Amino acid sequence: MNTLKNNTIILERTGQVIATKIRYADNYFLRLRGLIGTPSLARSEVMLITPCKQVHTHFMKYPIDVVFLDKHYSVINKIIAMQPWRVSSYVTNAFFVLELPAHTATLLEPADKLIFQQSSI
């Protein structure tokens, strides 16, 4: 199972909280599985996949937003409401992918920087 941590992701440009719970997929099997077989993400929940340059939604039952980030957590590209059974483009400069509930990444723009804060709890 992916590790779920109570960390916060903030959009630097506005100070808006993007997520308060992060699932980490940081090894081959967690990256391959991703969100397959899971219930829809809660509004404040995301999955961070690393390293990652491309994703698929095969075997998923719900759409997701996909945000490609560079090593500095800056937005490179995004896909809003990627439907099940799709494959994204290969994003050469991406290092992380953030998967969010559908239609929650609309406020993110290219070059936006995300700030990750660890919870002390």
Side-chain angles (χ1 to χ4, degrees):
M1 184 65 176
N2 309 0
T3 305
L4 182 61
K5 295 186 180 177
N6 290 320
N7 293 339
T8 303
I9 302 174
I10 299 168
L11 176 55
E12 183 180 60
R13 176 174 47 87
T14 64
Q16 183 171 355
V17 173
I18 304 297
T20 57
K21 292 185 173 126
I22 306 172
R23 292 180 184 265
Y24 291 90
D26 55 3
N27 68 47
Y28 175 78
F29 294 106
L30 292 177
R31 288 191 305 266
L32 182 64
R33 179 174 180 218
L35 294 170
I36 294 169
T38 64
S40 297
L41 292 167
R43 194 80 175 148
S44 63
E45 187 179 352
V46 299
M47 174 172 275
L48 183 68
I49 306 170
T50 182
C52 189
K53 297 177 182 292
Q54 184 176 38
V55 297
H56 70 84
T57 55
H58 296 160
F59 305 102
M60 289 187 58
K61 296 179 179 170
Y62 53 90
I64 56 172
D65 285 358
V66 178
V67 179
F68 294 89
L69 305 170
D70 67 14
K71 287 185 178 186
H72 306 287
Y73 302 109
S74 293
V75 175
I76 299 171
N77 194 11
K78 69 180 178 180
I79 303 168
I80 302 298
M82 184 172 171
Q83 297 298 312
W85 295 99
R86 303 291 193 276
V87 177
S88 74
S89 299
Y90 184 87
V91 181
T92 305
N93 297 331
F95 188 77
F96 302 99
V97 167
L98 197 61
E99 295 182 342
L100 306 96
H103 304 288
T104 57
T106 53
L107 65 149
L108 298 176
E109 299 174 2
D112 272 346
K113 184 172 172 83
L114 301 181
I115 300 168
F116 287 68
Q117 293 182 340
Q118 283 193 335
S119 173
S120 58
I121 297 174

PDB file of all heavy atoms in Angstrom, residues 84-118:
ATOM      1  N   PRO A  84     -10.195   7.172 -17.657  1.00  0.00           N
ATOM      2  CA  PRO A  84      -9.629   5.821 -17.584  1.00  0.00           C
ATOM      3  C   PRO A  84      -9.248   5.296 -18.973  1.00  0.00           C
ATOM      4  O   PRO A  84      -9.818   5.716 -19.982  1.00  0.00           O
ATOM      5  CB  PRO A  84     -10.764   4.991 -16.982  1.00  0.00           C
ATOM      6  CG  PRO A  84     -11.558   5.985 -16.181  1.00  0.00           C
ATOM      7  CD  PRO A  84     -11.487   7.257 -16.980  1.00  0.00           C
ATOM      8  N   TRP A  85      -8.279   4.418 -18.988  1.00  0.00           N
ATOM      9  CA  TRP A  85      -7.780   3.747 -20.195  1.00  0.00           C
ATOM     10  C   TRP A  85      -7.078   4.700 -21.160  1.00  0.00           C
ATOM     11  O   TRP A  85      -7.162   4.565 -22.366  1.00  0.00           O
ATOM     12  CB  TRP A  85      -8.895   2.973 -20.892  1.00  0.00           C
ATOM     13  CG  TRP A  85      -9.384   1.861 -20.032  1.00  0.00           C
ATOM     14  CD1 TRP A  85     -10.507   1.882 -19.244  1.00  0.00           C
ATOM     15  CD2 TRP A  85      -8.757   0.605 -19.809  1.00  0.00           C
ATOM     16  NE1 TRP A  85     -10.611   0.703 -18.538  1.00  0.00           N
ATOM     17  CE2 TRP A  85      -9.541  -0.108 -18.880  1.00  0.00           C
ATOM     18  CE3 TRP A  85      -7.586   0.008 -20.298  1.00  0.00           C
ATOM     19  CZ2 TRP A  85      -9.204  -1.374 -18.441  1.00  0.00           C
ATOM     20  CZ3 TRP A  85      -7.257  -1.260 -19.869  1.00  0.00           C
ATOM     21  CH2 TRP A  85      -8.068  -1.936 -18.946  1.00  0.00           C
ATOM     22  N   ARG A  86      -6.359   5.666 -20.606  1.00  0.00           N
ATOM     23  CA  ARG A  86      -5.578   6.599 -21.426  1.00  0.00           C
ATOM     24  C   ARG A  86      -4.104   6.526 -21.024  1.00  0.00           C
ATOM     25  O   ARG A  86      -3.757   6.074 -19.942  1.00  0.00           O
ATOM     26  CB  ARG A  86      -6.052   8.047 -21.233  1.00  0.00           C
ATOM     27  CG  ARG A  86      -7.524   8.294 -21.533  1.00  0.00           C
ATOM     28  CD  ARG A  86      -7.828   8.165 -23.018  1.00  0.00           C
ATOM     29  NE  ARG A  86      -9.134   8.674 -23.370  1.00  0.00           N
ATOM     30  CZ  ARG A  86     -10.279   7.997 -23.285  1.00  0.00           C
ATOM     31  NH1 ARG A  86     -10.283   6.776 -22.812  1.00  0.00           N
ATOM     32  NH2 ARG A  86     -11.410   8.528 -23.649  1.00  0.00           N
ATOM     33  N   VAL A  87      -3.241   7.031 -21.913  1.00  0.00           N
ATOM     34  CA  VAL A  87      -1.816   7.163 -21.637  1.00  0.00           C
ATOM     35  C   VAL A  87      -1.448   8.610 -21.900  1.00  0.00           C
ATOM     36  O   VAL A  87      -1.802   9.165 -22.947  1.00  0.00           O
ATOM     37  CB  VAL A  87      -0.975   6.223 -22.530  1.00  0.00           C
ATOM     38  CG1 VAL A  87       0.514   6.433 -22.291  1.00  0.00           C
ATOM     39  CG2 VAL A  87      -1.352   4.770 -22.294  1.00  0.00           C
ATOM     40  N   SER A  88      -0.732   9.215 -20.981  1.00  0.00           N
ATOM     41  CA  SER A  88      -0.333  10.615 -21.146  1.00  0.00           C
ATOM     42  C   SER A  88       0.822  10.728 -22.129  1.00  0.00           C
ATOM     43  O   SER A  88       1.466   9.735 -22.470  1.00  0.00           O
ATOM     44  CB  SER A  88       0.098  11.209 -19.800  1.00  0.00           C
ATOM     45  OG  SER A  88       1.379  10.709 -19.434  1.00  0.00           O
ATOM     46  N   SER A  89       1.105  11.940 -22.517  1.00  0.00           N
ATOM     47  CA  SER A  89       2.311  12.222 -23.279  1.00  0.00           C
ATOM     48  C   SER A  89       3.515  11.970 -22.383  1.00  0.00           C
ATOM     49  O   SER A  89       3.416  12.006 -21.157  1.00  0.00           O
ATOM     50  CB  SER A  89       2.342  13.687 -23.725  1.00  0.00           C
ATOM     51  OG  SER A  89       1.254  13.963 -24.548  1.00  0.00           O
ATOM     52  N   TYR A  90       4.661  11.771 -23.001  1.00  0.00           N
ATOM     53  CA  TYR A  90       5.921  11.634 -22.275  1.00  0.00           C
ATOM     54  C   TYR A  90       6.472  13.038 -22.081  1.00  0.00           C
ATOM     55  O   TYR A  90       6.683  13.768 -23.050  1.00  0.00           O
ATOM     56  CB  TYR A  90       6.888  10.774 -23.099  1.00  0.00           C
ATOM     57  CG  TYR A  90       8.187  10.481 -22.409  1.00  0.00           C
ATOM     58  CD1 TYR A  90       8.308   9.388 -21.559  1.00  0.00           C
ATOM     59  CD2 TYR A  90       9.306  11.279 -22.609  1.00  0.00           C
ATOM     60  CE1 TYR A  90       9.503   9.100 -20.925  1.00  0.00           C
ATOM     61  CE2 TYR A  90      10.504  10.998 -21.983  1.00  0.00           C
ATOM     62  CZ  TYR A  90      10.599   9.909 -21.149  1.00  0.00           C
ATOM     63  OH  TYR A  90      11.786   9.629 -20.519  1.00  0.00           O
ATOM     64  N   VAL A  91       6.673  13.441 -20.835  1.00  0.00           N
ATOM     65  CA  VAL A  91       7.125  14.799 -20.532  1.00  0.00           C
ATOM     66  C   VAL A  91       8.597  14.726 -20.118  1.00  0.00           C
ATOM     67  O   VAL A  91       8.919  14.353 -18.984  1.00  0.00           O
ATOM     68  CB  VAL A  91       6.251  15.454 -19.442  1.00  0.00           C
ATOM     69  CG1 VAL A  91       6.728  16.865 -19.156  1.00  0.00           C
ATOM     70  CG2 VAL A  91       4.785  15.450 -19.864  1.00  0.00           C
ATOM     71  N   THR A  92       9.456  15.058 -21.038  1.00  0.00           N
ATOM     72  CA  THR A  92      10.904  14.878 -20.880  1.00  0.00           C
ATOM     73  C   THR A  92      11.468  15.519 -19.627  1.00  0.00           C
ATOM     74  O   THR A  92      12.267  14.913 -18.920  1.00  0.00           O
ATOM     75  CB  THR A  92      11.644  15.441 -22.113  1.00  0.00           C
ATOM     76  OG1 THR A  92      11.105  14.825 -23.281  1.00  0.00           O
ATOM     77  CG2 THR A  92      13.121  15.177 -22.037  1.00  0.00           C
ATOM     78  N   ASN A  93      11.084  16.732 -19.306  1.00  0.00           N
ATOM     79  CA  ASN A  93      11.658  17.464 -18.176  1.00  0.00           C
ATOM     80  C   ASN A  93      10.996  17.155 -16.834  1.00  0.00           C
ATOM     81  O   ASN A  93      11.388  17.713 -15.821  1.00  0.00           O
ATOM     82  CB  ASN A  93      11.600  18.968 -18.433  1.00  0.00           C
ATOM     83  CG  ASN A  93      12.437  19.365 -19.628  1.00  0.00           C
ATOM     84  OD1 ASN A  93      13.428  18.714 -19.943  1.00  0.00           O
ATOM     85  ND2 ASN A  93      12.037  20.416 -20.304  1.00  0.00           N
ATOM     86  N   ALA A  94      10.001  16.297 -16.834  1.00  0.00           N
ATOM     87  CA  ALA A  94       9.297  15.983 -15.585  1.00  0.00           C
ATOM     88  C   ALA A  94      10.146  15.085 -14.694  1.00  0.00           C
ATOM     89  O   ALA A  94      10.900  14.235 -15.173  1.00  0.00           O
ATOM     90  CB  ALA A  94       7.969  15.311 -15.883  1.00  0.00           C
ATOM     91  N   PHE A  95      10.014  15.279 -13.404  1.00  0.00           N
ATOM     92  CA  PHE A  95      10.639  14.404 -12.422  1.00  0.00           C
ATOM     93  C   PHE A  95       9.582  13.813 -11.485  1.00  0.00           C
ATOM     94  O   PHE A  95       9.696  12.699 -11.038  1.00  0.00           O
ATOM     95  CB  PHE A  95      11.698  15.153 -11.608  1.00  0.00           C
ATOM     96  CG  PHE A  95      12.493  14.245 -10.733  1.00  0.00           C
ATOM     97  CD1 PHE A  95      13.499  13.458 -11.271  1.00  0.00           C
ATOM     98  CD2 PHE A  95      12.233  14.156  -9.378  1.00  0.00           C
ATOM     99  CE1 PHE A  95      14.231  12.585 -10.469  1.00  0.00           C
ATOM    100  CE2 PHE A  95      12.962  13.291  -8.558  1.00  0.00           C
ATOM    101  CZ  PHE A  95      13.964  12.508  -9.106  1.00  0.00           C
ATOM    102  N   PHE A  96       8.545  14.590 -11.207  1.00  0.00           N
ATOM    103  CA  PHE A  96       7.432  14.164 -10.363  1.00  0.00           C
ATOM    104  C   PHE A  96       6.139  14.257 -11.160  1.00  0.00           C
ATOM    105  O   PHE A  96       6.011  15.080 -12.060  1.00  0.00           O
ATOM    106  CB  PHE A  96       7.255  15.098  -9.155  1.00  0.00           C
ATOM    107  CG  PHE A  96       8.442  15.220  -8.269  1.00  0.00           C
ATOM    108  CD1 PHE A  96       9.303  16.297  -8.384  1.00  0.00           C
ATOM    109  CD2 PHE A  96       8.696  14.274  -7.290  1.00  0.00           C
ATOM    110  CE1 PHE A  96      10.395  16.436  -7.546  1.00  0.00           C
ATOM    111  CE2 PHE A  96       9.790  14.398  -6.448  1.00  0.00           C
ATOM    112  CZ  PHE A  96      10.641  15.480  -6.576  1.00  0.00           C
ATOM    113  N   VAL A  97       5.167  13.438 -10.775  1.00  0.00           N
ATOM    114  CA  VAL A  97       3.799  13.603 -11.254  1.00  0.00           C
ATOM    115  C   VAL A  97       2.904  13.647 -10.029  1.00  0.00           C
ATOM    116  O   VAL A  97       3.029  12.833  -9.116  1.00  0.00           O
ATOM    117  CB  VAL A  97       3.367  12.466 -12.202  1.00  0.00           C
ATOM    118  CG1 VAL A  97       1.859  12.490 -12.417  1.00  0.00           C
ATOM    119  CG2 VAL A  97       4.080  12.582 -13.536  1.00  0.00           C
ATOM    120  N   LEU A  98       2.019  14.611 -10.034  1.00  0.00           N
ATOM    121  CA  LEU A  98       1.040  14.764  -8.971  1.00  0.00           C
ATOM    122  C   LEU A  98      -0.320  14.390  -9.553  1.00  0.00           C
ATOM    123  O   LEU A  98      -0.742  14.958 -10.561  1.00  0.00           O
ATOM    124  CB  LEU A  98       1.042  16.219  -8.501  1.00  0.00           C
ATOM    125  CG  LEU A  98       0.400  16.539  -7.170  1.00  0.00           C
ATOM    126  CD1 LEU A  98       1.103  15.807  -6.034  1.00  0.00           C
ATOM    127  CD2 LEU A  98       0.434  18.038  -6.935  1.00  0.00           C
ATOM    128  N   GLU A  99      -0.971  13.392  -8.963  1.00  0.00           N
ATOM    129  CA  GLU A  99      -2.310  13.001  -9.396  1.00  0.00           C
ATOM    130  C   GLU A  99      -3.303  13.509  -8.363  1.00  0.00           C
ATOM    131  O   GLU A  99      -3.129  13.289  -7.166  1.00  0.00           O
ATOM    132  CB  GLU A  99      -2.400  11.483  -9.559  1.00  0.00           C
ATOM    133  CG  GLU A  99      -1.501  10.982 -10.671  1.00  0.00           C
ATOM    134  CD  GLU A  99      -1.578   9.488 -10.905  1.00  0.00           C
ATOM    135  OE1 GLU A  99      -2.059   8.735 -10.023  1.00  0.00           O
ATOM    136  OE2 GLU A  99      -1.148   9.061 -11.993  1.00  0.00           O
ATOM    137  N   LEU A 100      -4.326  14.199  -8.861  1.00  0.00           N
ATOM    138  CA  LEU A 100      -5.310  14.858  -7.997  1.00  0.00           C
ATOM    139  C   LEU A 100      -6.721  14.461  -8.415  1.00  0.00           C
ATOM    140  O   LEU A 100      -6.933  13.984  -9.537  1.00  0.00           O
ATOM    141  CB  LEU A 100      -5.193  16.378  -8.130  1.00  0.00           C
ATOM    142  CG  LEU A 100      -3.847  17.036  -7.911  1.00  0.00           C
ATOM    143  CD1 LEU A 100      -3.139  17.259  -9.214  1.00  0.00           C
ATOM    144  CD2 LEU A 100      -4.032  18.348  -7.210  1.00  0.00           C
ATOM    145  N   PRO A 101      -7.710  14.720  -7.566  1.00  0.00           N
ATOM    146  CA  PRO A 101      -9.094  14.504  -7.987  1.00  0.00           C
ATOM    147  C   PRO A 101      -9.389  15.338  -9.239  1.00  0.00           C
ATOM    148  O   PRO A 101      -8.839  16.431  -9.415  1.00  0.00           O
ATOM    149  CB  PRO A 101      -9.915  15.005  -6.802  1.00  0.00           C
ATOM    150  CG  PRO A 101      -8.995  14.922  -5.626  1.00  0.00           C
ATOM    151  CD  PRO A 101      -7.631  15.204  -6.181  1.00  0.00           C
ATOM    152  N   ALA A 102     -10.227  14.815 -10.105  1.00  0.00           N
ATOM    153  CA  ALA A 102     -10.549  15.502 -11.356  1.00  0.00           C
ATOM    154  C   ALA A 102     -11.038  16.930 -11.102  1.00  0.00           C
ATOM    155  O   ALA A 102     -11.786  17.179 -10.160  1.00  0.00           O
ATOM    156  CB  ALA A 102     -11.605  14.721 -12.130  1.00  0.00           C
ATOM    157  N   HIS A 103     -10.561  17.850 -11.913  1.00  0.00           N
ATOM    158  CA  HIS A 103     -10.940  19.263 -11.933  1.00  0.00           C
ATOM    159  C   HIS A 103     -10.414  20.071 -10.743  1.00  0.00           C
ATOM    160  O   HIS A 103     -10.894  21.171 -10.497  1.00  0.00           O
ATOM    161  CB  HIS A 103     -12.460  19.431 -12.055  1.00  0.00           C
ATOM    162  CG  HIS A 103     -13.021  18.740 -13.249  1.00  0.00           C
ATOM    163  ND1 HIS A 103     -12.830  19.197 -14.535  1.00  0.00           N
ATOM    164  CD2 HIS A 103     -13.729  17.604 -13.363  1.00  0.00           C
ATOM    165  CE1 HIS A 103     -13.417  18.370 -15.379  1.00  0.00           C
ATOM    166  NE2 HIS A 103     -13.967  17.389 -14.695  1.00  0.00           N
ATOM    167  N   THR A 104      -9.415  19.555 -10.027  1.00  0.00           N
ATOM    168  CA  THR A 104      -8.850  20.341  -8.924  1.00  0.00           C
ATOM    169  C   THR A 104      -7.550  21.035  -9.316  1.00  0.00           C
ATOM    170  O   THR A 104      -7.071  21.886  -8.571  1.00  0.00           O
ATOM    171  CB  THR A 104      -8.603  19.474  -7.674  1.00  0.00           C
ATOM    172  OG1 THR A 104      -7.737  18.398  -8.015  1.00  0.00           O
ATOM    173  CG2 THR A 104      -9.895  18.941  -7.120  1.00  0.00           C
ATOM    174  N   ALA A 105      -6.981  20.696 -10.463  1.00  0.00           N
ATOM    175  CA  ALA A 105      -5.717  21.316 -10.897  1.00  0.00           C
ATOM    176  C   ALA A 105      -5.949  22.478 -11.855  1.00  0.00           C
ATOM    177  O   ALA A 105      -4.997  23.025 -12.402  1.00  0.00           O
ATOM    178  CB  ALA A 105      -4.818  20.277 -11.549  1.00  0.00           C
ATOM    179  N   THR A 106      -7.192  22.890 -12.030  1.00  0.00           N
ATOM    180  CA  THR A 106      -7.479  23.967 -12.980  1.00  0.00           C
ATOM    181  C   THR A 106      -6.816  25.279 -12.579  1.00  0.00           C
ATOM    182  O   THR A 106      -6.492  26.093 -13.432  1.00  0.00           O
ATOM    183  CB  THR A 106      -8.999  24.188 -13.130  1.00  0.00           C
ATOM    184  OG1 THR A 106      -9.563  24.386 -11.840  1.00  0.00           O
ATOM    185  CG2 THR A 106      -9.661  23.000 -13.800  1.00  0.00           C
ATOM    186  N   LEU A 107      -6.569  25.485 -11.288  1.00  0.00           N
ATOM    187  CA  LEU A 107      -5.958  26.731 -10.824  1.00  0.00           C
ATOM    188  C   LEU A 107      -4.448  26.767 -11.050  1.00  0.00           C
ATOM    189  O   LEU A 107      -3.834  27.821 -10.949  1.00  0.00           O
ATOM    190  CB  LEU A 107      -6.248  26.951  -9.339  1.00  0.00           C
ATOM    191  CG  LEU A 107      -5.640  25.928  -8.387  1.00  0.00           C
ATOM    192  CD1 LEU A 107      -5.338  26.623  -7.044  1.00  0.00           C
ATOM    193  CD2 LEU A 107      -6.615  24.808  -8.151  1.00  0.00           C
ATOM    194  N   LEU A 108      -3.839  25.618 -11.368  1.00  0.00           N
ATOM    195  CA  LEU A 108      -2.392  25.575 -11.585  1.00  0.00           C
ATOM    196  C   LEU A 108      -2.042  26.021 -13.004  1.00  0.00           C
ATOM    197  O   LEU A 108      -2.721  25.643 -13.959  1.00  0.00           O
ATOM    198  CB  LEU A 108      -1.867  24.159 -11.341  1.00  0.00           C
ATOM    199  CG  LEU A 108      -2.057  23.612  -9.938  1.00  0.00           C
ATOM    200  CD1 LEU A 108      -1.581  22.175  -9.857  1.00  0.00           C
ATOM    201  CD2 LEU A 108      -1.354  24.478  -8.921  1.00  0.00           C
ATOM    202  N   GLU A 109      -0.987  26.798 -13.105  1.00  0.00           N
ATOM    203  CA  GLU A 109      -0.525  27.308 -14.396  1.00  0.00           C
ATOM    204  C   GLU A 109       0.918  26.889 -14.616  1.00  0.00           C
ATOM    205  O   GLU A 109       1.650  26.644 -13.657  1.00  0.00           O
ATOM    206  CB  GLU A 109      -0.637  28.836 -14.414  1.00  0.00           C
ATOM    207  CG  GLU A 109      -2.052  29.336 -14.237  1.00  0.00           C
ATOM    208  CD  GLU A 109      -2.137  30.849 -14.117  1.00  0.00           C
ATOM    209  OE1 GLU A 109      -1.086  31.524 -14.216  1.00  0.00           O
ATOM    210  OE2 GLU A 109      -3.250  31.341 -13.901  1.00  0.00           O
ATOM    211  N   PRO A 110       1.366  26.828 -15.888  1.00  0.00           N
ATOM    212  CA  PRO A 110       2.766  26.502 -16.138  1.00  0.00           C
ATOM    213  C   PRO A 110       3.687  27.448 -15.366  1.00  0.00           C
ATOM    214  O   PRO A 110       3.413  28.639 -15.251  1.00  0.00           O
ATOM    215  CB  PRO A 110       2.916  26.694 -17.645  1.00  0.00           C
ATOM    216  CG  PRO A 110       1.527  26.467 -18.173  1.00  0.00           C
ATOM    217  CD  PRO A 110       0.604  27.008 -17.115  1.00  0.00           C
ATOM    218  N   ALA A 111       4.753  26.892 -14.806  1.00  0.00           N
ATOM    219  CA  ALA A 111       5.772  27.602 -14.023  1.00  0.00           C
ATOM    220  C   ALA A 111       5.332  27.882 -12.585  1.00  0.00           C
ATOM    221  O   ALA A 111       6.134  28.385 -11.799  1.00  0.00           O
ATOM    222  CB  ALA A 111       6.244  28.872 -14.692  1.00  0.00           C
ATOM    223  N   ASP A 112       4.088  27.569 -12.205  1.00  0.00           N
ATOM    224  CA  ASP A 112       3.695  27.686 -10.800  1.00  0.00           C
ATOM    225  C   ASP A 112       4.578  26.765  -9.968  1.00  0.00           C
ATOM    226  O   ASP A 112       4.877  25.635 -10.377  1.00  0.00           O
ATOM    227  CB  ASP A 112       2.228  27.272 -10.591  1.00  0.00           C
ATOM    228  CG  ASP A 112       1.252  28.400 -10.789  1.00  0.00           C
ATOM    229  OD1 ASP A 112       1.689  29.568 -10.837  1.00  0.00           O
ATOM    230  OD2 ASP A 112       0.045  28.115 -10.884  1.00  0.00           O
ATOM    231  N   LYS A 113       4.973  27.224  -8.807  1.00  0.00           N
ATOM    232  CA  LYS A 113       5.797  26.422  -7.903  1.00  0.00           C
ATOM    233  C   LYS A 113       4.940  25.939  -6.738  1.00  0.00           C
ATOM    234  O   LYS A 113       4.152  26.693  -6.184  1.00  0.00           O
ATOM    235  CB  LYS A 113       6.973  27.241  -7.382  1.00  0.00           C
ATOM    236  CG  LYS A 113       7.917  26.428  -6.520  1.00  0.00           C
ATOM    237  CD  LYS A 113       9.160  27.221  -6.201  1.00  0.00           C
ATOM    238  CE  LYS A 113      10.021  26.510  -5.200  1.00  0.00           C
ATOM    239  NZ  LYS A 113      10.880  25.524  -5.732  1.00  0.00           N
ATOM    240  N   LEU A 114       5.116  24.669  -6.401  1.00  0.00           N
ATOM    241  CA  LEU A 114       4.414  24.087  -5.271  1.00  0.00           C
ATOM    242  C   LEU A 114       5.374  23.959  -4.101  1.00  0.00           C
ATOM    243  O   LEU A 114       6.551  23.628  -4.269  1.00  0.00           O
ATOM    244  CB  LEU A 114       3.848  22.718  -5.640  1.00  0.00           C
ATOM    245  CG  LEU A 114       2.873  22.695  -6.814  1.00  0.00           C
ATOM    246  CD1 LEU A 114       2.373  21.276  -7.060  1.00  0.00           C
ATOM    247  CD2 LEU A 114       1.708  23.640  -6.587  1.00  0.00           C
ATOM    248  N   ILE A 115       4.873  24.219  -2.906  1.00  0.00           N
ATOM    249  CA  ILE A 115       5.661  24.124  -1.688  1.00  0.00           C
ATOM    250  C   ILE A 115       5.131  22.932  -0.886  1.00  0.00           C
ATOM    251  O   ILE A 115       3.926  22.833  -0.635  1.00  0.00           O
ATOM    252  CB  ILE A 115       5.542  25.412  -0.853  1.00  0.00           C
ATOM    253  CG1 ILE A 115       6.056  26.603  -1.661  1.00  0.00           C
ATOM    254  CG2 ILE A 115       6.309  25.273   0.461  1.00  0.00           C
ATOM    255  CD1 ILE A 115       5.717  27.944  -1.038  1.00  0.00           C
ATOM    256  N   PHE A 116       6.038  22.040  -0.492  1.00  0.00           N
ATOM    257  CA  PHE A 116       5.685  20.880   0.295  1.00  0.00           C
ATOM    258  C   PHE A 116       6.106  21.116   1.740  1.00  0.00           C
ATOM    259  O   PHE A 116       7.276  21.389   2.009  1.00  0.00           O
ATOM    260  CB  PHE A 116       6.389  19.618  -0.249  1.00  0.00           C
ATOM    261  CG  PHE A 116       5.808  19.122  -1.535  1.00  0.00           C
ATOM    262  CD1 PHE A 116       5.939  19.844  -2.709  1.00  0.00           C
ATOM    263  CD2 PHE A 116       5.116  17.926  -1.582  1.00  0.00           C
ATOM    264  CE1 PHE A 116       5.392  19.394  -3.903  1.00  0.00           C
ATOM    265  CE2 PHE A 116       4.568  17.457  -2.758  1.00  0.00           C
ATOM    266  CZ  PHE A 116       4.716  18.204  -3.931  1.00  0.00           C
ATOM    267  N   GLN A 117       5.155  21.039   2.656  1.00  0.00           N
ATOM    268  CA  GLN A 117       5.439  21.231   4.072  1.00  0.00           C
ATOM    269  C   GLN A 117       5.114  19.948   4.821  1.00  0.00           C
ATOM    270  O   GLN A 117       4.013  19.427   4.687  1.00  0.00           O
ATOM    271  CB  GLN A 117       4.611  22.371   4.655  1.00  0.00           C
ATOM    272  CG  GLN A 117       4.970  23.730   4.111  1.00  0.00           C
ATOM    273  CD  GLN A 117       4.147  24.833   4.750  1.00  0.00           C
ATOM    274  OE1 GLN A 117       3.099  24.606   5.312  1.00  0.00           O
ATOM    275  NE2 GLN A 117       4.651  26.048   4.641  1.00  0.00           N
ATOM    276  N   GLN A 118       6.062  19.491   5.627  1.00  0.00           N
ATOM    277  CA  GLN A 118       5.836  18.311   6.452  1.00  0.00           C
ATOM    278  C   GLN A 118       5.057  18.679   7.688  1.00  0.00           C
ATOM    279  O   GLN A 118       5.312  19.700   8.300  1.00  0.00           O
ATOM    280  CB  GLN A 118       7.147  17.672   6.850  1.00  0.00           C
ATOM    281  CG  GLN A 118       7.794  16.883   5.756  1.00  0.00           C
ATOM    282  CD  GLN A 118       8.927  16.018   6.285  1.00  0.00           C
ATOM    283  OE1 GLN A 118       9.520  16.313   7.305  1.00  0.00           O
ATOM    284  NE2 GLN A 118       9.214  14.940   5.588  1.00  0.00           N
TER     285      GLN A 118
END
